[in-house]
Amino acid sequence: MNVAAILRLKGRAVTTAAPSATLLEIAAKLTAKRIGSVVIVGPGGEVAGIISERDIIRSLAANGPDCLPKLAGEVMTREVITCQETDTLDELMAMMTARRFRHMPVVTDGALVGIISIGDVVKHHVAEVEMEATAMRDY
């Protein structure tokens, strides 16, 4: 299974924000949508960064509640690892595990087209393994 197949099943919606959004605004989006990260996009819609719950917690731990008015552009991870729709689950799992992150934007021709979480990868990997096991038992 590849990224395109996962996006067909889960959809392509991505929660985004501008670099000028505050950490408080990002936290509100995360809470309202019950998600773990927000992709920060530039004026042309390109991926400029990503902010996760972990990033906000780290900022709170380092600076206290005074960090909440900070801009996303100041706190976001700037070097975002992205994937393409042709990437496989095994490739994503290896990359996310090795680099220790949980959310990966999907980019096609420079445009943001979706996002994949480690939960998506594990869910679909388990389904693949179960399907293979069933096929082997039926054989």
Side-chain angles (χ1 to χ4, degrees), residues 22-84:
T22 66
L23 289 189
L24 186 58
E25 292 168 335
I26 299 292
K29 280 188 180 202
L30 292 171
T31 301
K33 297 198 178 239
R34 301 184 72 195
I35 56 175
S37 69
V38 171
V39 178
I40 306 303
V41 294
E46 73 281 0
V47 175
I50 192 166
I51 292 188
S52 70
E53 296 164 319
R54 288 179 181 179
D55 295 321
I56 294 172
I57 294 299
R58 285 185 187 115
S59 188
L60 276 167
N63 306 302
D66 293 340
C67 74
L68 295 176
K70 276 190 173 185
L71 302 182
E74 298 174 52
V75 179
M76 69 185 183
T77 299
R78 292 179 188 283
E79 293 182 26
V80 181
I81 307 297
T82 62
C83 64
Q84 298 178 356

Side-chain angles (χ1 to χ4, degrees), residues 11-139:
R12 294 176 175 270
V14 182
T15 301
T16 62
S20 59
T22 66
L23 289 189
L24 186 58
E25 292 168 335
I26 299 292
K29 280 188 180 202
L30 292 171
T31 301
K33 297 198 178 239
R34 301 184 72 195
I35 56 175
S37 69
V38 171
V39 178
I40 306 303
V41 294
E46 73 281 0
V47 175
I50 192 166
I51 292 188
S52 70
E53 296 164 319
R54 288 179 181 179
D55 295 321
I56 294 172
I57 294 299
R58 285 185 187 115
S59 188
L60 276 167
N63 306 302
D66 293 340
C67 74
L68 295 176
K70 276 190 173 185
L71 302 182
E74 298 174 52
V75 179
M76 69 185 183
T77 299
R78 292 179 188 283
E79 293 182 26
V80 181
I81 307 297
T82 62
C83 64
Q84 298 178 356
E85 294 186 66
T86 54
D87 292 340
T88 67
L89 288 184
D90 290 337
E91 291 169 329
L92 294 186
M93 199 176 312
M95 200 177 324
M96 292 172 128
T97 301
R99 303 247 183 146
R100 300 185 54 105
F101 61 87
R102 301 179 310 177
H103 302 92
M104 187 181 296
V106 183
V107 175
T108 300
D109 297 325
L112 179 63
V113 297
I115 190 161
I116 299 291
S117 72
I118 191 69
D120 298 326
V121 174
V122 170
K123 174 183 171 184
H124 292 284
H125 183 71
V126 167
E128 272 186 345
V129 169
E130 287 175 351
M131 192 167 48
E132 289 173 5
T134 299
M136 291 299 287
R137 277 193 298 274
D138 291 346
Y139 177 72

